[in-house]
């Protein structure tokens, strides 16, 4: 509900051109904060709204960027999913901004805290096929060890895990 309310505020307090400029600014610095406190004050005055409202508008844009970058969404998918919440014009604008900024954002995310952390995590995977002699059924299982913690998977969990890895790799490959 908060996101829907924030998107309503976004549409209510910004013109389409202002919305495009805010999205471009946020995309150029994401995942870092796009506006300093002083800039937020000036933006609040130019939008003629309270600072708390301006902060919710900025947070809504940053949350949209977070969601599309986390899912590595295609611009056309982004546009389609946002039409109901933002209207056609703003959905098209956001998808264009995302299309132009996607590779830069994903690059910053990879080289930033998350990417750096992932480069130093020791992990290994061990998949086994066990046989229950009483039922004469073979069962696949797996253990993923990340940073000394073991995560056990049954067959379905293992399939979901590898499917998710393939989807992520495919999305990354499509960005390039």
């Amino acid at each position: 509900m908060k996101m829907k309310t924030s998107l309503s505020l976004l549409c209510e307090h910004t013109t389409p051109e202002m919305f495009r400029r805010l999205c471009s600014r946020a995309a150029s610095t994401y995942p870092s904060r796009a506006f300093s406190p002083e800039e937020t004050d000036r933006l609040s005055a130019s939008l003629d709204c309270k600072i708390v409202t301006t902060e919710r508008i900025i947070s809504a844009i940053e949350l949209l960027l977070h969601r599309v970058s986390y899912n590595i969404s295609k611009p056309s998918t982004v546009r389609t999913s946002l039409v109901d919440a933002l209207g056609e014009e703003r959905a098209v604008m956001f998808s264009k901004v995302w299309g132009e900024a996607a590779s830069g954002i994903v690059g910053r995310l990879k080289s930033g805290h998350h990417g750096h952390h992932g480069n130093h995590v020791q992990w290994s995977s061990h998949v086994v096929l066990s046989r229950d002699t009483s039922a004469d059924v073979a069962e696949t299982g797996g253990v993923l060890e990340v940073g000394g913690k073991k995560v056990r998977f049954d067959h379905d969990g293992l399939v979901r895990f590898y499917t998710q890895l393939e989807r992520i790799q495919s999305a990354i490959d499509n960005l390039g």
Side-chain angles (χ1 to χ4, degrees), residues 47-60:
L47 294 175
D48 195 29
C49 61
K50 296 178 182 177
I51 289 177
V52 78
T53 302
T54 303
E55 289 172 348
R56 287 183 69 189
I57 289 170
I58 293 168
S59 293

mmCIF file with all atom_site columns, all heavy atoms in Angstrom, residues 47-60:
data_model
loop_
_atom_site.group_PDB
_atom_site.id
_atom_site.type_symbol
_atom_site.label_atom_id
_atom_site.label_alt_id
_atom_site.label_comp_id
_atom_site.label_asym_id
_atom_site.label_entity_id
_atom_site.label_seq_id
_atom_site.pdbx_PDB_ins_code
_atom_site.Cartn_x
_atom_site.Cartn_y
_atom_site.Cartn_z
_atom_site.occupancy
_atom_site.B_iso_or_equiv
_atom_site.pdbx_formal_charge
_atom_site.auth_seq_id
_atom_site.auth_comp_id
_atom_site.auth_asym_id
_atom_site.auth_atom_id
_atom_site.pdbx_PDB_model_num
ATOM 1   N N   . LEU A 1 47 ? 8.339  21.751 -5.935 1.00 0.00 ? 47 LEU A N   1
ATOM 2   C CA  . LEU A 1 47 ? 7.142  20.922 -6.108 1.00 0.00 ? 47 LEU A CA  1
ATOM 3   C C   . LEU A 1 47 ? 5.965  21.446 -5.288 1.00 0.00 ? 47 LEU A C   1
ATOM 4   O O   . LEU A 1 47 ? 4.850  20.955 -5.417 1.00 0.00 ? 47 LEU A O   1
ATOM 5   C CB  . LEU A 1 47 ? 7.434  19.474 -5.694 1.00 0.00 ? 47 LEU A CB  1
ATOM 6   C CG  . LEU A 1 47 ? 8.420  18.694 -6.545 1.00 0.00 ? 47 LEU A CG  1
ATOM 7   C CD1 . LEU A 1 47 ? 8.694  17.322 -5.922 1.00 0.00 ? 47 LEU A CD1 1
ATOM 8   C CD2 . LEU A 1 47 ? 7.910  18.539 -7.963 1.00 0.00 ? 47 LEU A CD2 1
ATOM 9   N N   . ASP A 1 48 ? 6.254  22.427 -4.420 1.00 0.00 ? 48 ASP A N   1
ATOM 10  C CA  . ASP A 1 48 ? 5.252  23.012 -3.547 1.00 0.00 ? 48 ASP A CA  1
ATOM 11  C C   . ASP A 1 48 ? 4.583  21.950 -2.668 1.00 0.00 ? 48 ASP A C   1
ATOM 12  O O   . ASP A 1 48 ? 3.365  21.832 -2.628 1.00 0.00 ? 48 ASP A O   1
ATOM 13  C CB  . ASP A 1 48 ? 4.204  23.779 -4.364 1.00 0.00 ? 48 ASP A CB  1
ATOM 14  C CG  . ASP A 1 48 ? 3.358  24.690 -3.485 1.00 0.00 ? 48 ASP A CG  1
ATOM 15  O OD1 . ASP A 1 48 ? 3.877  25.152 -2.446 1.00 0.00 ? 48 ASP A OD1 1
ATOM 16  O OD2 . ASP A 1 48 ? 2.177  24.918 -3.823 1.00 0.00 ? 48 ASP A OD2 1
ATOM 17  N N   . CYS A 1 49 ? 5.438  21.174 -1.998 1.00 0.00 ? 49 CYS A N   1
ATOM 18  C CA  . CYS A 1 49 ? 4.920  20.149 -1.088 1.00 0.00 ? 49 CYS A CA  1
ATOM 19  C C   . CYS A 1 49 ? 5.847  20.032 0.117  1.00 0.00 ? 49 CYS A C   1
ATOM 20  O O   . CYS A 1 49 ? 6.939  20.591 0.123  1.00 0.00 ? 49 CYS A O   1
ATOM 21  C CB  . CYS A 1 49 ? 4.760  18.804 -1.798 1.00 0.00 ? 49 CYS A CB  1
ATOM 22  S SG  . CYS A 1 49 ? 6.262  18.099 -2.459 1.00 0.00 ? 49 CYS A SG  1
ATOM 23  N N   . LYS A 1 50 ? 5.401  19.306 1.118  1.00 0.00 ? 50 LYS A N   1
ATOM 24  C CA  . LYS A 1 50 ? 6.191  19.125 2.330  1.00 0.00 ? 50 LYS A CA  1
ATOM 25  C C   . LYS A 1 50 ? 7.422  18.274 2.032  1.00 0.00 ? 50 LYS A C   1
ATOM 26  O O   . LYS A 1 50 ? 7.430  17.470 1.107  1.00 0.00 ? 50 LYS A O   1
ATOM 27  C CB  . LYS A 1 50 ? 5.360  18.436 3.406  1.00 0.00 ? 50 LYS A CB  1
ATOM 28  C CG  . LYS A 1 50 ? 4.183  19.259 3.870  1.00 0.00 ? 50 LYS A CG  1
ATOM 29  C CD  . LYS A 1 50 ? 3.385  18.500 4.893  1.00 0.00 ? 50 LYS A CD  1
ATOM 30  C CE  . LYS A 1 50 ? 2.177  19.321 5.326  1.00 0.00 ? 50 LYS A CE  1
ATOM 31  N NZ  . LYS A 1 50 ? 1.336  18.595 6.271  1.00 0.00 ? 50 LYS A NZ  1
ATOM 32  N N   . ILE A 1 51 ? 8.447  18.439 2.857  1.00 0.00 ? 51 ILE A N   1
ATOM 33  C CA  . ILE A 1 51 ? 9.689  17.681 2.682  1.00 0.00 ? 51 ILE A CA  1
ATOM 34  C C   . ILE A 1 51 ? 9.417  16.180 2.792  1.00 0.00 ? 51 ILE A C   1
ATOM 35  O O   . ILE A 1 51 ? 9.972  15.388 2.024  1.00 0.00 ? 51 ILE A O   1
ATOM 36  C CB  . ILE A 1 51 ? 10.758 18.134 3.699  1.00 0.00 ? 51 ILE A CB  1
ATOM 37  C CG1 . ILE A 1 51 ? 11.245 19.531 3.321  1.00 0.00 ? 51 ILE A CG1 1
ATOM 38  C CG2 . ILE A 1 51 ? 11.922 17.158 3.749  1.00 0.00 ? 51 ILE A CG2 1
ATOM 39  C CD1 . ILE A 1 51 ? 12.234 20.134 4.270  1.00 0.00 ? 51 ILE A CD1 1
ATOM 40  N N   . VAL A 1 52 ? 8.552  15.789 3.705  1.00 0.00 ? 52 VAL A N   1
ATOM 41  C CA  . VAL A 1 52 ? 8.248  14.370 3.868  1.00 0.00 ? 52 VAL A CA  1
ATOM 42  C C   . VAL A 1 52 ? 7.622  13.800 2.585  1.00 0.00 ? 52 VAL A C   1
ATOM 43  O O   . VAL A 1 52 ? 7.904  12.667 2.187  1.00 0.00 ? 52 VAL A O   1
ATOM 44  C CB  . VAL A 1 52 ? 7.379  14.112 5.120  1.00 0.00 ? 52 VAL A CB  1
ATOM 45  C CG1 . VAL A 1 52 ? 5.926  14.461 4.892  1.00 0.00 ? 52 VAL A CG1 1
ATOM 46  C CG2 . VAL A 1 52 ? 7.537  12.706 5.598  1.00 0.00 ? 52 VAL A CG2 1
ATOM 47  N N   . THR A 1 53 ? 6.808  14.583 1.915  1.00 0.00 ? 53 THR A N   1
ATOM 48  C CA  . THR A 1 53 ? 6.200  14.159 0.651  1.00 0.00 ? 53 THR A CA  1
ATOM 49  C C   . THR A 1 53 ? 7.275  14.036 -0.426 1.00 0.00 ? 53 THR A C   1
ATOM 50  O O   . THR A 1 53 ? 7.301  13.061 -1.185 1.00 0.00 ? 53 THR A O   1
ATOM 51  C CB  . THR A 1 53 ? 5.104  15.152 0.213  1.00 0.00 ? 53 THR A CB  1
ATOM 52  O OG1 . THR A 1 53 ? 4.129  15.243 1.248  1.00 0.00 ? 53 THR A OG1 1
ATOM 53  C CG2 . THR A 1 53 ? 4.444  14.716 -1.078 1.00 0.00 ? 53 THR A CG2 1
ATOM 54  N N   . THR A 1 54 ? 8.167  15.009 -0.475 1.00 0.00 ? 54 THR A N   1
ATOM 55  C CA  . THR A 1 54 ? 9.262  14.968 -1.449 1.00 0.00 ? 54 THR A CA  1
ATOM 56  C C   . THR A 1 54 ? 10.136 13.742 -1.216 1.00 0.00 ? 54 THR A C   1
ATOM 57  O O   . THR A 1 54 ? 10.529 13.060 -2.163 1.00 0.00 ? 54 THR A O   1
ATOM 58  C CB  . THR A 1 54 ? 10.105 16.255 -1.361 1.00 0.00 ? 54 THR A CB  1
ATOM 59  O OG1 . THR A 1 54 ? 9.247  17.371 -1.559 1.00 0.00 ? 54 THR A OG1 1
ATOM 60  C CG2 . THR A 1 54 ? 11.200 16.264 -2.396 1.00 0.00 ? 54 THR A CG2 1
ATOM 61  N N   . GLU A 1 55 ? 10.426 13.444 0.037  1.00 0.00 ? 55 GLU A N   1
ATOM 62  C CA  . GLU A 1 55 ? 11.232 12.260 0.347  1.00 0.00 ? 55 GLU A CA  1
ATOM 63  C C   . GLU A 1 55 ? 10.533 10.977 -0.060 1.00 0.00 ? 55 GLU A C   1
ATOM 64  O O   . GLU A 1 55 ? 11.161 10.038 -0.539 1.00 0.00 ? 55 GLU A O   1
ATOM 65  C CB  . GLU A 1 55 ? 11.599 12.243 1.834  1.00 0.00 ? 55 GLU A CB  1
ATOM 66  C CG  . GLU A 1 55 ? 12.620 13.310 2.174  1.00 0.00 ? 55 GLU A CG  1
ATOM 67  C CD  . GLU A 1 55 ? 12.878 13.473 3.659  1.00 0.00 ? 55 GLU A CD  1
ATOM 68  O OE1 . GLU A 1 55 ? 12.102 12.912 4.482  1.00 0.00 ? 55 GLU A OE1 1
ATOM 69  O OE2 . GLU A 1 55 ? 13.860 14.154 3.994  1.00 0.00 ? 55 GLU A OE2 1
ATOM 70  N N   . ARG A 1 56 ? 9.211  10.934 0.084  1.00 0.00 ? 56 ARG A N   1
ATOM 71  C CA  . ARG A 1 56 ? 8.454  9.751  -0.354 1.00 0.00 ? 56 ARG A CA  1
ATOM 72  C C   . ARG A 1 56 ? 8.479  9.629  -1.873 1.00 0.00 ? 56 ARG A C   1
ATOM 73  O O   . ARG A 1 56 ? 8.553  8.523  -2.401 1.00 0.00 ? 56 ARG A O   1
ATOM 74  C CB  . ARG A 1 56 ? 7.022  9.807  0.168  1.00 0.00 ? 56 ARG A CB  1
ATOM 75  C CG  . ARG A 1 56 ? 6.972  9.520  1.664  1.00 0.00 ? 56 ARG A CG  1
ATOM 76  C CD  . ARG A 1 56 ? 5.592  9.486  2.215  1.00 0.00 ? 56 ARG A CD  1
ATOM 77  N NE  . ARG A 1 56 ? 4.880  8.314  1.723  1.00 0.00 ? 56 ARG A NE  1
ATOM 78  C CZ  . ARG A 1 56 ? 3.595  8.120  1.912  1.00 0.00 ? 56 ARG A CZ  1
ATOM 79  N NH1 . ARG A 1 56 ? 2.872  9.019  2.565  1.00 0.00 ? 56 ARG A NH1 1
ATOM 80  N NH2 . ARG A 1 56 ? 3.001  7.044  1.458  1.00 0.00 ? 56 ARG A NH2 1
ATOM 81  N N   . ILE A 1 57 ? 8.432  10.753 -2.571 1.00 0.00 ? 57 ILE A N   1
ATOM 82  C CA  . ILE A 1 57 ? 8.507  10.737 -4.036 1.00 0.00 ? 57 ILE A CA  1
ATOM 83  C C   . ILE A 1 57 ? 9.869  10.204 -4.475 1.00 0.00 ? 57 ILE A C   1
ATOM 84  O O   . ILE A 1 57 ? 9.954  9.325  -5.342 1.00 0.00 ? 57 ILE A O   1
ATOM 85  C CB  . ILE A 1 57 ? 8.240  12.153 -4.603 1.00 0.00 ? 57 ILE A CB  1
ATOM 86  C CG1 . ILE A 1 57 ? 6.765  12.521 -4.423 1.00 0.00 ? 57 ILE A CG1 1
ATOM 87  C CG2 . ILE A 1 57 ? 8.672  12.249 -6.064 1.00 0.00 ? 57 ILE A CG2 1
ATOM 88  C CD1 . ILE A 1 57 ? 6.444  13.975 -4.714 1.00 0.00 ? 57 ILE A CD1 1
ATOM 89  N N   . ILE A 1 58 ? 10.928 10.711 -3.874 1.00 0.00 ? 58 ILE A N   1
ATOM 90  C CA  . ILE A 1 58 ? 12.288 10.254 -4.210 1.00 0.00 ? 58 ILE A CA  1
ATOM 91  C C   . ILE A 1 58 ? 12.435 8.771  -3.873 1.00 0.00 ? 58 ILE A C   1
ATOM 92  O O   . ILE A 1 58 ? 12.980 7.991  -4.668 1.00 0.00 ? 58 ILE A O   1
ATOM 93  C CB  . ILE A 1 58 ? 13.343 11.096 -3.468 1.00 0.00 ? 58 ILE A CB  1
ATOM 94  C CG1 . ILE A 1 58 ? 13.330 12.538 -3.992 1.00 0.00 ? 58 ILE A CG1 1
ATOM 95  C CG2 . ILE A 1 58 ? 14.735 10.481 -3.623 1.00 0.00 ? 58 ILE A CG2 1
ATOM 96  C CD1 . ILE A 1 58 ? 14.119 13.519 -3.130 1.00 0.00 ? 58 ILE A CD1 1
ATOM 97  N N   . SER A 1 59 ? 11.931 8.369  -2.719 1.00 0.00 ? 59 SER A N   1
ATOM 98  C CA  . SER A 1 59 ? 12.003 6.959  -2.314 1.00 0.00 ? 59 SER A CA  1
ATOM 99  C C   . SER A 1 59 ? 11.240 6.058  -3.276 1.00 0.00 ? 59 SER A C   1
ATOM 100 O O   . SER A 1 59 ? 11.673 4.937  -3.560 1.00 0.00 ? 59 SER A O   1
ATOM 101 C CB  . SER A 1 59 ? 11.460 6.776  -0.900 1.00 0.00 ? 59 SER A CB  1
ATOM 102 O OG  . SER A 1 59 ? 12.300 7.409  0.023  1.00 0.00 ? 59 SER A OG  1
ATOM 103 N N   . ALA A 1 60 ? 10.106 6.538  -3.779 1.00 0.00 ? 60 ALA A N   1
ATOM 104 C CA  . ALA A 1 60 ? 9.327  5.740  -4.736 1.00 0.00 ? 60 ALA A CA  1
ATOM 105 C C   . ALA A 1 60 ? 10.124 5.507  -6.017 1.00 0.00 ? 60 ALA A C   1
ATOM 106 O O   . ALA A 1 60 ? 10.160 4.387  -6.548 1.00 0.00 ? 60 ALA A O   1
ATOM 107 C CB  . ALA A 1 60 ? 8.005  6.427  -5.061 1.00 0.00 ? 60 ALA A CB  1
#
